[in-house]
């Protein structure tokens, strides 16, 4: 059974930094494209950043230049480095894993709360 476990959320002041981690277990990590989504209070879930199995990355316009997604295949873990945080970054952040071969499958983490406030 595939599991995603997130960590690293918390309370941070505007302008601060946090690093989120997402550890995958129960399957072959290198076969998964990884992504981070977020859901601000009262709003819909949105894509923040993604990284393919070939390490190609993509970012939402709102986080470009501030956030960085990466993966460590040796540790079965994906990361989201968040710098220059703003109050509007406050949300529950979710890790997402997706593979296309041999069968399509996707998994979600439980979510971790990031609060940016002074």
């Amino acid at each position: 059974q595939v599991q995603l476990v997130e960590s690293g959320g918390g309370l941070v002041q505007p302008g601060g930094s946090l690093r989120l981690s997402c550890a995958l277990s129960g399957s072959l990590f290198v076969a998964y494209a990884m992504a981070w989504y977020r859901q601000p209070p009262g709003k819909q879930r949105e894509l923040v950043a993604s990284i393919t199995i070939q390490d190609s990355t993509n970012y939402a316009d709102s986080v470009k230049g501030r956030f960085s997604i990466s993966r460590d295949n040796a540790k079965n873990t994906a990361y989201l480095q968040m710098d220059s945080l703003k109050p509007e970054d406050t949300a529950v952040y979710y890790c997402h894993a997706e593979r296309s071969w041999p069968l399509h499958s996707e998994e979600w983490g439980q979510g971790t709360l990031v609060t940016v406030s002074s």
Side-chain angles (χ1 to χ4, degrees):
Q1 183 178 355
V2 180
Q3 273 195 314
L4 297 177
V5 178
E6 299 137 338
S7 61
L11 174 64
V12 63
Q13 291 187 340
S17 298
L18 281 176
R19 189 177 79 156
L20 304 182
S21 300
C22 174
L24 185 149
S25 62
S27 191
L28 191 62
F29 180 74
V30 297
Y32 287 84
M34 303 297 295
W36 289 94
Y37 287 74
R38 67 184 181 187
Q39 187 165 15
K43 296 184 179 181
Q44 291 190 330
R45 193 173 298 190
E46 61 183 9
L47 176 65
V48 176
S50 63
I51 185 167
T52 69
I53 59 176
Q54 295 93 357
D55 285 345
S56 177
T57 59
N58 184 56
Y59 297 92
D61 288 343
S62 59
V63 306
K64 281 181 181 176
R66 300 188 299 121
F67 290 12
S68 178
I69 189 171
S70 61
R71 62 190 298 155
D72 186 336
N73 292 335
K75 295 183 178 180
N76 296 340
T77 301
Y79 303 96
L80 184 67
Q81 177 66 42
M82 304 185 294
D83 298 321
S84 302
L85 282 161
K86 305 175 181 179
E88 51 263 44
D89 294 317
T90 295
V92 178
Y93 284 71
Y94 296 90
C95 180
H96 178 261
E98 184 174 10
R99 69 182 295 175
S100 301
W101 186 91
L103 296 173
H104 177 263
S105 65
E106 56 185 310
E107 308 291 337
W108 289 93
Q110 80 283 0
T112 185
L113 178 62
V114 172
T115 303
V116 185
S117 175
S118 55

